[in-house]
Amino acid sequence: KNAFLLLVGEGMDLANEGITNIIPKTASSRLRFAGIRKDMDYVMNALDVIALPSIEEGFPNVIAEAMASGVLAVANDVGDVRQLIGKTGIVIQHKNIKDMVKAIMNIKEMEGEACDRLRDNAEQRIKKNYDLLKISQKYEAFYRSIIHLKDDL
């Protein structure tokens, strides 16, 4: 009822006829085109759910940023998505738009403590596993191990 679809990023604007031509007129009142944004922290705080329908990904930073803001994620099973989201969101089969829509609706129907707990778990997962300081320490340890291996040769 109170749901809107916000399209953010390059080409996500009214000039993109590839998107605007396929949207039914009845859905246009529930759709917002935001284009490229430099204030994604504000955008993230306005979201309940982030959907990533990517065909290819490496490490989807946008998902990590959303989760760090307590936003629940629904994403295609590409790249590092499954490892990143874990059990704190929904990972769907690649290119299955119907499952993506169902997953978004399921999250939107969640209420209360269950939803809050999932949001908290998503945020904590990012802080625990993907904090910049922790990642830099892991890289440092990795590089030191390589140096030690080289010295042993």
Side-chain angles (χ1 to χ4, degrees):
K1 296 174 185 174
N2 294 323
F4 290 89
L5 178 62
L6 178 66
L7 299 172
V8 181
E10 187 174 344
M12 297 296 125
D13 52 45
L14 292 172
N16 185 341
E17 292 179 5
I19 293 176
T20 57
N21 288 341
I22 63 170
I23 297 169
K25 297 285 186 221
T26 56
S28 63
S29 67
R30 306 305 248 167
L31 187 63
R32 304 290 186 264
F33 290 92
I36 296 174
R37 300 290 299 251
K38 299 209 183 288
D39 60 346
M40 284 304 296
D41 52 334
Y42 292 107
V43 172
M44 291 295 181
N45 286 324
L47 302 179
D48 293 319
V49 180
I50 188 165
L52 186 73
S54 294
I55 298 169
E56 290 182 358
E57 280 292 337
F59 182 88
N61 285 320
V62 69
I63 294 293
E65 292 165 2
M67 290 171 63
S69 298
V71 177
L72 299 178
V74 174
N76 275 341
D77 192 3
V78 293
D80 292 333
V81 164
R82 183 171 296 281
Q83 178 184 351
L84 178 62
I85 293 176
K87 295 180 181 178
T88 66
I90 302 174
V91 179
I92 62 166
Q93 289 298 319
H94 184 63
K95 296 183 181 180
N96 191 330
I97 194 68
K98 288 182 181 179
D99 281 353
M100 181 165 282
V101 170
K102 285 179 191 175
I104 293 168
M105 297 309 292
N106 286 341
I107 287 176
K108 286 297 294 171
E109 290 172 3
M110 288 177 62
E111 293 182 13
E113 289 182 28
C115 188
D116 291 342
R117 188 170 36 257
L118 203 54
R119 290 179 191 286
D120 289 343
N121 289 345
E123 191 174 341
Q124 292 307 312
R125 181 174 179 80
I126 295 301
K127 288 179 180 176
K128 179 181 176 188
N129 298 307
Y130 300 100
D131 175 78
L132 190 55
L133 178 60
K134 289 179 183 176
I135 289 174
S136 64
Q137 289 170 341
K138 288 178 183 179
Y139 272 115
E140 181 180 356
F142 173 69
Y143 292 140
R144 288 185 186 279
S145 71
I146 292 173
I147 292 169
H148 291 300
L149 283 175
K150 184 179 175 188
D151 290 342
D152 292 341
L153 294 178

